């Protein structure tokens, strides 16, 4: 073993393996004498092989520290070294030791024969790290909570109680089920919970389960590898759960999730890990799950359309968001908010007078806040002047509001008279007080219009 590194077999092996390598390589015996050096190293040192073979390394290169490496049997990896010819390089000096911890010799290699190359590579790596960091930050901004408690508008007791509960729920990491009718703003509450929690700096990823084709659920949730299925994106794709790792995932309309996917989701919640479609690699997860539905999940469980075990896994904590009809005192506040937004978006100022406001507040709003927002935008667009009028309201709002008012009061004639008067006033304004033109637009005789003007004491 003592003379192994000087044998023809070893030298022949080195020539076959290392002579063609573009990387400088050499071998020393345990006394530090050169037994092999490849062509790349000879070119670097500008020596002939016959002149240096068998010499101690410090005779060939006075600056070498290889003898210290052999003495202490400690490898030196990626060390900067300046050669006597003035060249700088990054080198490896590695002792070769047998199974009895006896020194056999040493292996040397120049990793970078030019220090500037290392600097360039280092700079490239640093640039890549900076770009990755930038992309991660941008991705975090894209997948972050967009709404806070301040974005949930209302001063009613019901909404204040709901917002107060959000702060309590945000303190823990348990799964949450948000229950409420369509349009009440369940997603806003999910965003607010995430924003109030310790996960606020981490991703918030939202998925609408009713919008995903049944055959794409697994790929959308857990991601997939390249070629996992026909039409899969080249290079694969990261899933929503992996994207939300460390943060919160919001599963909206959870009641629309197919049964096969419910079983897979249950396993993810239990094991806290996912496997991409077409892969065997397991990815550990730290994700808080918030779900929302307008459906009665207990009824779906009874009907066999929703897994009971998943229901209890999701419904650890719950938040009931009240419909708009149960907090009517918030309607006027919301209307003011929406008209302000309309002004900011379009530059058109609109104001909702008391008569129109009363009609809107009497309406039941089956579509809740979403419906109210859409109607306010519509009447703001339809309005010919600064003030929105009764005539700008959709007929279904007027009719349903009047039916509700009729139940509350016997003064139907007074209500109808007020509506009729508003319509006449607004029509006259549109016609620049031209009574003939106004009568034509209202499709009534001119004499009837004169009588109504006198009856309602309308000033022209």
């Amino acid at each position: 073993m003592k003379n192994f590194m000087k044998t023809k077999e070893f030298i022949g092996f080195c020539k076959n393996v290392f002579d063609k390598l573009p990387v400088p390589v050499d071998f020393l015996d345990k006394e530090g004498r050169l037994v092999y050096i490849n062509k790349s190293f000879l070119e670097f040192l500008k020596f002939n092989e016959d002149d240096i073979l068998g010499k101690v390394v410090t005779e060939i290169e006075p600056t070498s520290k290889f003898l210290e490496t052999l003495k202490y049997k400690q490898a030196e990896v990626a060390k900067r070294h300046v050669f006597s010819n003035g060249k700088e390089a990054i080198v490896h000096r590695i002792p070769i030791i047998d199974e009895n911890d006896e020194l056999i010799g040493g292996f040397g290699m120049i990793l970078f024969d030019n220090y500037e190359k290392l600097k360039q590579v280092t700079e490239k790596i640093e640039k890549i790290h900076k770009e990755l960091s930038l992309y991660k930050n941008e991705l975090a901004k894209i997948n972050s909570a967009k709404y806070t408690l301040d974005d949930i508008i209302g001063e009613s007791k019901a909404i204040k109680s709901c917002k107060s509960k959000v702060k309590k729920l945000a303190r823990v990491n348990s799964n949450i089920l948000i229950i409420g009718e369509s349009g009440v703003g369940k997603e806003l509450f999910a965003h607010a919970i995430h924003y109030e929690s310790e996960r606020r700096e981490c991703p918030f990823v939202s998925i609408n389960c009713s919008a995903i084709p049944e055959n794409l659920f697994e790929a959308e949730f857990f991601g997939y590898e390249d070629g996992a299925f026909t039409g899969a994106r080249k290079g694969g794709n990261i899933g929503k759960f992996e994207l939300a790792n460390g943060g919160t995932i919001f599963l909206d309309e959870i009641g629309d999730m197919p049964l096969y996917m419910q079983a897979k989701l249950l396993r993810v919640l239990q094991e806290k890990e996912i496997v991409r479609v077409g892969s065997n690699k397991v990815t550990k997860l730290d994700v808080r799950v918030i779900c929302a539905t307008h459906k009665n999940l207990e009824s779906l469980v009874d009907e066999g359309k929703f897994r009971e075990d998943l229901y209890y896994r999701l419904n650890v904590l719950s938040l009931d968001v009240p419909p708009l009809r149960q907090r009517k005192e918030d309607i006027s506040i919301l209307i003011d908010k929406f008209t302000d937004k309309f002004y900011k978006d379009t530059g058109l100022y609109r104001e909702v007078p008391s008569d129109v406001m009363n009609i809107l507040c009497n309406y039941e709003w089956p579509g809740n806040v979403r419906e109210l927002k859409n109607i306010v935008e519509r009447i703001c667009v339809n309005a010919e002047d600064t003030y929105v009028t009764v005539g700008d309201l959709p007929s279904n709002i007027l009719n349903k509001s009047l039916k509700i008012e009729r139940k509350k009061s016997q003064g139907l004639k007074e209500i109808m008279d007020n509506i009729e008067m508003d319509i006449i006033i607004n029509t006259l304004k549109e016609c620049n007080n031209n009574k003939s033109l106004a009568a034509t637009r209202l499709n009534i005789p001119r004499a009837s219009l004169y009588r109504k003007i006198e009856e309602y004491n309308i000033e022209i």
Side-chain angles (χ1 to χ4, degrees), residues 335-336 338-353 376 379-388:
I335 290 172
D336 289 341
F338 296 148
T339 53
D340 286 345
K341 185 178 186 306
F342 182 81
Y343 174 67
K344 289 176 183 176
D345 291 344
T346 66
L348 300 172
Y349 179 75
R350 295 291 184 262
E351 192 168 323
V352 180
V376 170
I379 62 178
C380 285
V381 171
N382 289 340
E384 297 290 342
D385 205 347
T386 299
Y387 291 93
V388 174

PDB file of all heavy atoms in Angstrom, residues 335-336 338-353 376 379-388:
ATOM      1  N   ILE A 335     -73.863  52.838   1.073  1.00  0.00           N
ATOM      2  CA  ILE A 335     -74.196  53.631  -0.120  1.00  0.00           C
ATOM      3  C   ILE A 335     -73.256  54.824  -0.244  1.00  0.00           C
ATOM      4  O   ILE A 335     -72.745  55.128  -1.332  1.00  0.00           O
ATOM      5  CB  ILE A 335     -75.671  54.082  -0.083  1.00  0.00           C
ATOM      6  CG1 ILE A 335     -76.591  52.869  -0.299  1.00  0.00           C
ATOM      7  CG2 ILE A 335     -75.943  55.141  -1.145  1.00  0.00           C
ATOM      8  CD1 ILE A 335     -78.056  53.164  -0.085  1.00  0.00           C
ATOM      9  N   ASP A 336     -73.021  55.506   0.867  1.00  0.00           N
ATOM     10  CA  ASP A 336     -72.077  56.637   0.849  1.00  0.00           C
ATOM     11  C   ASP A 336     -70.681  56.179   0.421  1.00  0.00           C
ATOM     12  O   ASP A 336     -69.983  56.877  -0.331  1.00  0.00           O
ATOM     13  CB  ASP A 336     -72.003  57.287   2.237  1.00  0.00           C
ATOM     14  CG  ASP A 336     -73.272  58.059   2.585  1.00  0.00           C
ATOM     15  OD1 ASP A 336     -74.032  58.386   1.652  1.00  0.00           O
ATOM     16  OD2 ASP A 336     -73.516  58.320   3.778  1.00  0.00           O
ATOM     17  N   PHE A 338     -69.938  53.609  -1.486  1.00  0.00           N
ATOM     18  CA  PHE A 338     -69.930  53.240  -2.905  1.00  0.00           C
ATOM     19  C   PHE A 338     -70.023  54.460  -3.813  1.00  0.00           C
ATOM     20  O   PHE A 338     -69.430  54.482  -4.893  1.00  0.00           O
ATOM     21  CB  PHE A 338     -71.076  52.269  -3.211  1.00  0.00           C
ATOM     22  CG  PHE A 338     -70.958  50.947  -2.486  1.00  0.00           C
ATOM     23  CD1 PHE A 338     -72.093  50.251  -2.085  1.00  0.00           C
ATOM     24  CD2 PHE A 338     -69.713  50.403  -2.188  1.00  0.00           C
ATOM     25  CE1 PHE A 338     -71.990  49.035  -1.421  1.00  0.00           C
ATOM     26  CE2 PHE A 338     -69.598  49.185  -1.517  1.00  0.00           C
ATOM     27  CZ  PHE A 338     -70.740  48.503  -1.137  1.00  0.00           C
ATOM     28  N   THR A 339     -70.774  55.474  -3.404  1.00  0.00           N
ATOM     29  CA  THR A 339     -70.837  56.693  -4.220  1.00  0.00           C
ATOM     30  C   THR A 339     -69.501  57.435  -4.194  1.00  0.00           C
ATOM     31  O   THR A 339     -69.088  58.029  -5.195  1.00  0.00           O
ATOM     32  CB  THR A 339     -71.963  57.631  -3.745  1.00  0.00           C
ATOM     33  OG1 THR A 339     -71.830  57.873  -2.331  1.00  0.00           O
ATOM     34  CG2 THR A 339     -73.331  57.029  -4.021  1.00  0.00           C
ATOM     35  N   ASP A 340     -68.817  57.390  -3.055  1.00  0.00           N
ATOM     36  CA  ASP A 340     -67.470  57.980  -2.977  1.00  0.00           C
ATOM     37  C   ASP A 340     -66.518  57.274  -3.933  1.00  0.00           C
ATOM     38  O   ASP A 340     -65.714  57.916  -4.618  1.00  0.00           O
ATOM     39  CB  ASP A 340     -66.927  57.890  -1.546  1.00  0.00           C
ATOM     40  CG  ASP A 340     -67.574  58.885  -0.611  1.00  0.00           C
ATOM     41  OD1 ASP A 340     -68.234  59.829  -1.103  1.00  0.00           O
ATOM     42  OD2 ASP A 340     -67.444  58.729   0.616  1.00  0.00           O
ATOM     43  N   LYS A 341     -66.610  55.955  -3.969  1.00  0.00           N
ATOM     44  CA  LYS A 341     -65.740  55.185  -4.870  1.00  0.00           C
ATOM     45  C   LYS A 341     -66.077  55.502  -6.329  1.00  0.00           C
ATOM     46  O   LYS A 341     -65.170  55.618  -7.169  1.00  0.00           O
ATOM     47  CB  LYS A 341     -65.894  53.685  -4.612  1.00  0.00           C
ATOM     48  CG  LYS A 341     -64.924  52.825  -5.429  1.00  0.00           C
ATOM     49  CD  LYS A 341     -65.078  51.365  -5.124  1.00  0.00           C
ATOM     50  CE  LYS A 341     -63.998  50.542  -5.843  1.00  0.00           C
ATOM     51  NZ  LYS A 341     -63.950  50.775  -7.290  1.00  0.00           N
ATOM     52  N   PHE A 342     -67.361  55.658  -6.627  1.00  0.00           N
ATOM     53  CA  PHE A 342     -67.778  56.000  -7.985  1.00  0.00           C
ATOM     54  C   PHE A 342     -67.169  57.341  -8.395  1.00  0.00           C
ATOM     55  O   PHE A 342     -66.697  57.506  -9.524  1.00  0.00           O
ATOM     56  CB  PHE A 342     -69.304  56.059  -8.064  1.00  0.00           C
ATOM     57  CG  PHE A 342     -69.826  56.369  -9.433  1.00  0.00           C
ATOM     58  CD1 PHE A 342     -69.924  55.372 -10.401  1.00  0.00           C
ATOM     59  CD2 PHE A 342     -70.228  57.658  -9.769  1.00  0.00           C
ATOM     60  CE1 PHE A 342     -70.401  55.667 -11.674  1.00  0.00           C
ATOM     61  CE2 PHE A 342     -70.707  57.956 -11.037  1.00  0.00           C
ATOM     62  CZ  PHE A 342     -70.792  56.953 -11.993  1.00  0.00           C
ATOM     63  N   TYR A 343     -67.168  58.293  -7.466  1.00  0.00           N
ATOM     64  CA  TYR A 343     -66.588  59.612  -7.738  1.00  0.00           C
ATOM     65  C   TYR A 343     -65.081  59.508  -7.999  1.00  0.00           C
ATOM     66  O   TYR A 343     -64.549  60.111  -8.940  1.00  0.00           O
ATOM     67  CB  TYR A 343     -66.857  60.550  -6.568  1.00  0.00           C
ATOM     68  CG  TYR A 343     -66.171  61.892  -6.688  1.00  0.00           C
ATOM     69  CD1 TYR A 343     -66.530  62.803  -7.673  1.00  0.00           C
ATOM     70  CD2 TYR A 343     -65.137  62.235  -5.807  1.00  0.00           C
ATOM     71  CE1 TYR A 343     -65.887  64.028  -7.791  1.00  0.00           C
ATOM     72  CE2 TYR A 343     -64.493  63.458  -5.914  1.00  0.00           C
ATOM     73  CZ  TYR A 343     -64.871  64.344  -6.915  1.00  0.00           C
ATOM     74  OH  TYR A 343     -64.228  65.547  -7.025  1.00  0.00           O
ATOM     75  N   LYS A 344     -64.393  58.690  -7.179  1.00  0.00           N
ATOM     76  CA  LYS A 344     -62.942  58.529  -7.352  1.00  0.00           C
ATOM     77  C   LYS A 344     -62.622  57.856  -8.683  1.00  0.00           C
ATOM     78  O   LYS A 344     -61.622  58.182  -9.332  1.00  0.00           O
ATOM     79  CB  LYS A 344     -62.369  57.706  -6.200  1.00  0.00           C
ATOM     80  CG  LYS A 344     -62.354  58.444  -4.870  1.00  0.00           C
ATOM     81  CD  LYS A 344     -61.860  57.544  -3.744  1.00  0.00           C
ATOM     82  CE  LYS A 344     -61.909  58.270  -2.411  1.00  0.00           C
ATOM     83  NZ  LYS A 344     -61.515  57.373  -1.290  1.00  0.00           N
ATOM     84  N   ASP A 345     -63.460  56.907  -9.079  1.00  0.00           N
ATOM     85  CA  ASP A 345     -63.198  56.156 -10.302  1.00  0.00           C
ATOM     86  C   ASP A 345     -63.563  56.930 -11.564  1.00  0.00           C
ATOM     87  O   ASP A 345     -62.924  56.764 -12.610  1.00  0.00           O
ATOM     88  CB  ASP A 345     -63.985  54.834 -10.291  1.00  0.00           C
ATOM     89  CG  ASP A 345     -63.470  53.856  -9.244  1.00  0.00           C
ATOM     90  OD1 ASP A 345     -62.350  54.063  -8.745  1.00  0.00           O
ATOM     91  OD2 ASP A 345     -64.196  52.895  -8.928  1.00  0.00           O
ATOM     92  N   THR A 346     -64.604  57.767 -11.506  1.00  0.00           N
ATOM     93  CA  THR A 346     -65.121  58.414 -12.724  1.00  0.00           C
ATOM     94  C   THR A 346     -65.018  59.936 -12.715  1.00  0.00           C
ATOM     95  O   THR A 346     -65.107  60.556 -13.771  1.00  0.00           O
ATOM     96  CB  THR A 346     -66.602  58.042 -12.928  1.00  0.00           C
ATOM     97  OG1 THR A 346     -67.385  58.618 -11.855  1.00  0.00           O
ATOM     98  CG2 THR A 346     -66.799  56.530 -12.922  1.00  0.00           C
ATOM     99  N   GLY A 347     -64.874  60.528 -11.511  1.00  0.00           N
ATOM    100  CA  GLY A 347     -64.886  61.988 -11.424  1.00  0.00           C
ATOM    101  C   GLY A 347     -66.283  62.571 -11.425  1.00  0.00           C
ATOM    102  O   GLY A 347     -66.449  63.797 -11.426  1.00  0.00           O
ATOM    103  N   LEU A 348     -67.326  61.714 -11.433  1.00  0.00           N
ATOM    104  CA  LEU A 348     -68.720  62.162 -11.432  1.00  0.00           C
ATOM    105  C   LEU A 348     -69.279  62.097 -10.014  1.00  0.00           C
ATOM    106  O   LEU A 348     -69.364  61.018  -9.427  1.00  0.00           O
ATOM    107  CB  LEU A 348     -69.572  61.295 -12.367  1.00  0.00           C
ATOM    108  CG  LEU A 348     -69.151  61.284 -13.840  1.00  0.00           C
ATOM    109  CD1 LEU A 348     -69.957  60.238 -14.609  1.00  0.00           C
ATOM    110  CD2 LEU A 348     -69.337  62.673 -14.457  1.00  0.00           C
ATOM    111  N   TYR A 349     -69.655  63.256  -9.488  1.00  0.00           N
ATOM    112  CA  TYR A 349     -70.177  63.299  -8.115  1.00  0.00           C
ATOM    113  C   TYR A 349     -71.665  62.978  -8.114  1.00  0.00           C
ATOM    114  O   TYR A 349     -72.437  63.521  -8.904  1.00  0.00           O
ATOM    115  CB  TYR A 349     -69.952  64.685  -7.505  1.00  0.00           C
ATOM    116  CG  TYR A 349     -70.494  64.805  -6.094  1.00  0.00           C
ATOM    117  CD1 TYR A 349     -69.825  64.228  -5.020  1.00  0.00           C
ATOM    118  CD2 TYR A 349     -71.691  65.480  -5.853  1.00  0.00           C
ATOM    119  CE1 TYR A 349     -70.323  64.323  -3.732  1.00  0.00           C
ATOM    120  CE2 TYR A 349     -72.199  65.578  -4.566  1.00  0.00           C
ATOM    121  CZ  TYR A 349     -71.517  64.996  -3.514  1.00  0.00           C
ATOM    122  OH  TYR A 349     -72.015  65.089  -2.238  1.00  0.00           O
ATOM    123  N   ARG A 350     -72.060  62.053  -7.240  1.00  0.00           N
ATOM    124  CA  ARG A 350     -73.468  61.678  -7.113  1.00  0.00           C
ATOM    125  C   ARG A 350     -73.866  61.694  -5.642  1.00  0.00           C
ATOM    126  O   ARG A 350     -73.089  61.311  -4.774  1.00  0.00           O
ATOM    127  CB  ARG A 350     -73.716  60.274  -7.692  1.00  0.00           C
ATOM    128  CG  ARG A 350     -73.492  60.155  -9.193  1.00  0.00           C
ATOM    129  CD  ARG A 350     -74.556  60.904  -9.964  1.00  0.00           C
ATOM    130  NE  ARG A 350     -74.419  60.736 -11.409  1.00  0.00           N
ATOM    131  CZ  ARG A 350     -73.836  61.609 -12.199  1.00  0.00           C
ATOM    132  NH1 ARG A 350     -73.326  62.732 -11.685  1.00  0.00           N
ATOM    133  NH2 ARG A 350     -73.778  61.405 -13.505  1.00  0.00           N
ATOM    134  N   GLU A 351     -75.106  62.128  -5.421  1.00  0.00           N
ATOM    135  CA  GLU A 351     -75.630  62.158  -4.053  1.00  0.00           C
ATOM    136  C   GLU A 351     -77.000  61.486  -4.052  1.00  0.00           C
ATOM    137  O   GLU A 351     -77.805  61.666  -4.974  1.00  0.00           O
ATOM    138  CB  GLU A 351     -75.745  63.604  -3.565  1.00  0.00           C
ATOM    139  CG  GLU A 351     -76.006  63.693  -2.066  1.00  0.00           C
ATOM    140  CD  GLU A 351     -75.835  65.115  -1.548  1.00  0.00           C
ATOM    141  OE1 GLU A 351     -74.931  65.837  -2.034  1.00  0.00           O
ATOM    142  OE2 GLU A 351     -76.624  65.493  -0.658  1.00  0.00           O
ATOM    143  N   VAL A 352     -77.256  60.688  -3.006  1.00  0.00           N
ATOM    144  CA  VAL A 352     -78.519  59.953  -2.894  1.00  0.00           C
ATOM    145  C   VAL A 352     -79.402  60.678  -1.884  1.00  0.00           C
ATOM    146  O   VAL A 352     -79.135  60.644  -0.688  1.00  0.00           O
ATOM    147  CB  VAL A 352     -78.278  58.493  -2.462  1.00  0.00           C
ATOM    148  CG1 VAL A 352     -79.600  57.743  -2.353  1.00  0.00           C
ATOM    149  CG2 VAL A 352     -77.343  57.778  -3.446  1.00  0.00           C
ATOM    150  N   PRO A 353     -80.467  61.350  -2.331  1.00  0.00           N
ATOM    151  CA  PRO A 353     -81.342  62.091  -1.409  1.00  0.00           C
ATOM    152  C   PRO A 353     -82.148  61.136  -0.523  1.00  0.00           C
ATOM    153  O   PRO A 353     -82.210  59.924  -0.767  1.00  0.00           O
ATOM    154  CB  PRO A 353     -82.241  62.887  -2.351  1.00  0.00           C
ATOM    155  CG  PRO A 353     -82.221  62.139  -3.639  1.00  0.00           C
ATOM    156  CD  PRO A 353     -80.889  61.494  -3.735  1.00  0.00           C
ATOM    157  N   VAL A 376     -75.993  50.593  -6.744  1.00  0.00           N
ATOM    158  CA  VAL A 376     -75.510  51.965  -6.545  1.00  0.00           C
ATOM    159  C   VAL A 376     -74.719  52.423  -7.768  1.00  0.00           C
ATOM    160  O   VAL A 376     -74.883  53.560  -8.243  1.00  0.00           O
ATOM    161  CB  VAL A 376     -74.653  52.069  -5.265  1.00  0.00           C
ATOM    162  CG1 VAL A 376     -73.954  53.428  -5.193  1.00  0.00           C
ATOM    163  CG2 VAL A 376     -75.509  51.865  -4.020  1.00  0.00           C
ATOM    164  N   ILE A 379     -77.298  53.174 -10.630  1.00  0.00           N
ATOM    165  CA  ILE A 379     -78.077  54.411 -10.528  1.00  0.00           C
ATOM    166  C   ILE A 379     -77.190  55.644 -10.641  1.00  0.00           C
ATOM    167  O   ILE A 379     -77.625  56.695 -11.099  1.00  0.00           O
ATOM    168  CB  ILE A 379     -78.915  54.452  -9.222  1.00  0.00           C
ATOM    169  CG1 ILE A 379     -78.031  54.424  -7.975  1.00  0.00           C
ATOM    170  CG2 ILE A 379     -79.912  53.309  -9.191  1.00  0.00           C
ATOM    171  CD1 ILE A 379     -78.801  54.508  -6.665  1.00  0.00           C
ATOM    172  N   CYS A 380     -75.914  55.502 -10.249  1.00  0.00           N
ATOM    173  CA  CYS A 380     -74.983  56.625 -10.408  1.00  0.00           C
ATOM    174  C   CYS A 380     -74.706  56.887 -11.886  1.00  0.00           C
ATOM    175  O   CYS A 380     -74.567  58.031 -12.317  1.00  0.00           O
ATOM    176  CB  CYS A 380     -73.675  56.343  -9.668  1.00  0.00           C
ATOM    177  SG  CYS A 380     -73.783  56.512  -7.874  1.00  0.00           S
ATOM    178  N   VAL A 381     -74.623  55.820 -12.658  1.00  0.00           N
ATOM    179  CA  VAL A 381     -74.410  55.956 -14.102  1.00  0.00           C
ATOM    180  C   VAL A 381     -75.657  56.517 -14.770  1.00  0.00           C
ATOM    181  O   VAL A 381     -75.584  57.389 -15.647  1.00  0.00           O
ATOM    182  CB  VAL A 381     -74.034  54.588 -14.722  1.00  0.00           C
ATOM    183  CG1 VAL A 381     -74.033  54.681 -16.251  1.00  0.00           C
ATOM    184  CG2 VAL A 381     -72.669  54.134 -14.219  1.00  0.00           C
ATOM    185  N   ASN A 382     -76.832  56.040 -14.351  1.00  0.00           N
ATOM    186  CA  ASN A 382     -78.088  56.466 -14.964  1.00  0.00           C
ATOM    187  C   ASN A 382     -78.467  57.906 -14.631  1.00  0.00           C
ATOM    188  O   ASN A 382     -79.170  58.563 -15.401  1.00  0.00           O
ATOM    189  CB  ASN A 382     -79.234  55.548 -14.530  1.00  0.00           C
ATOM    190  CG  ASN A 382     -79.120  54.164 -15.154  1.00  0.00           C
ATOM    191  OD1 ASN A 382     -78.446  53.990 -16.163  1.00  0.00           O
ATOM    192  ND2 ASN A 382     -79.766  53.180 -14.547  1.00  0.00           N
ATOM    193  N   ALA A 383     -78.024  58.395 -13.493  1.00  0.00           N
ATOM    194  CA  ALA A 383     -78.416  59.739 -13.045  1.00  0.00           C
ATOM    195  C   ALA A 383     -77.951  60.800 -14.037  1.00  0.00           C
ATOM    196  O   ALA A 383     -76.814  60.783 -14.499  1.00  0.00           O
ATOM    197  CB  ALA A 383     -77.843  60.017 -11.658  1.00  0.00           C
ATOM    198  N   GLU A 384     -78.872  61.737 -14.364  1.00  0.00           N
ATOM    199  CA  GLU A 384     -78.543  62.816 -15.308  1.00  0.00           C
ATOM    200  C   GLU A 384     -77.939  64.009 -14.601  1.00  0.00           C
ATOM    201  O   GLU A 384     -77.366  64.889 -15.233  1.00  0.00           O
ATOM    202  CB  GLU A 384     -79.815  63.252 -16.040  1.00  0.00           C
ATOM    203  CG  GLU A 384     -80.452  62.177 -16.909  1.00  0.00           C
ATOM    204  CD  GLU A 384     -79.614  61.864 -18.130  1.00  0.00           C
ATOM    205  OE1 GLU A 384     -78.746  62.691 -18.485  1.00  0.00           O
ATOM    206  OE2 GLU A 384     -79.805  60.785 -18.712  1.00  0.00           O
ATOM    207  N   ASP A 385     -78.083  64.040 -13.299  1.00  0.00           N
ATOM    208  CA  ASP A 385     -77.635  65.202 -12.530  1.00  0.00           C
ATOM    209  C   ASP A 385     -76.885  64.730 -11.296  1.00  0.00           C
ATOM    210  O   ASP A 385     -76.689  63.536 -11.077  1.00  0.00           O
ATOM    211  CB  ASP A 385     -78.849  66.049 -12.145  1.00  0.00           C
ATOM    212  CG  ASP A 385     -78.469  67.506 -11.896  1.00  0.00           C
ATOM    213  OD1 ASP A 385     -77.259  67.772 -11.776  1.00  0.00           O
ATOM    214  OD2 ASP A 385     -79.375  68.339 -11.822  1.00  0.00           O
ATOM    215  N   THR A 386     -76.523  65.672 -10.448  1.00  0.00           N
ATOM    216  CA  THR A 386     -75.806  65.340  -9.214  1.00  0.00           C
ATOM    217  C   THR A 386     -76.627  64.435  -8.325  1.00  0.00           C
ATOM    218  O   THR A 386     -76.107  63.487  -7.723  1.00  0.00           O
ATOM    219  CB  THR A 386     -75.461  66.637  -8.443  1.00  0.00           C
ATOM    220  OG1 THR A 386     -74.616  67.449  -9.252  1.00  0.00           O
ATOM    221  CG2 THR A 386     -74.751  66.313  -7.132  1.00  0.00           C
ATOM    222  N   TYR A 387     -77.928  64.712  -8.258  1.00  0.00           N
ATOM    223  CA  TYR A 387     -78.791  63.944  -7.363  1.00  0.00           C
ATOM    224  C   TYR A 387     -79.425  62.758  -8.086  1.00  0.00           C
ATOM    225  O   TYR A 387     -80.004  62.899  -9.152  1.00  0.00           O
ATOM    226  CB  TYR A 387     -79.894  64.841  -6.787  1.00  0.00           C
ATOM    227  CG  TYR A 387     -79.364  65.883  -5.828  1.00  0.00           C
ATOM    228  CD1 TYR A 387     -79.038  67.159  -6.287  1.00  0.00           C
ATOM    229  CD2 TYR A 387     -79.166  65.583  -4.485  1.00  0.00           C
ATOM    230  CE1 TYR A 387     -78.530  68.114  -5.422  1.00  0.00           C
ATOM    231  CE2 TYR A 387     -78.662  66.527  -3.619  1.00  0.00           C
ATOM    232  CZ  TYR A 387     -78.340  67.798  -4.081  1.00  0.00           C
ATOM    233  OH  TYR A 387     -77.836  68.734  -3.219  1.00  0.00           O
ATOM    234  N   VAL A 388     -79.297  61.589  -7.463  1.00  0.00           N
ATOM    235  CA  VAL A 388     -79.975  60.401  -7.958  1.00  0.00           C
ATOM    236  C   VAL A 388     -81.456  60.550  -7.658  1.00  0.00           C
ATOM    237  O   VAL A 388     -81.848  61.030  -6.589  1.00  0.00           O
ATOM    238  CB  VAL A 388     -79.416  59.140  -7.274  1.00  0.00           C
ATOM    239  CG1 VAL A 388     -80.211  57.895  -7.674  1.00  0.00           C
ATOM    240  CG2 VAL A 388     -77.937  58.952  -7.607  1.00  0.00           C
TER     241      VAL A 388
END
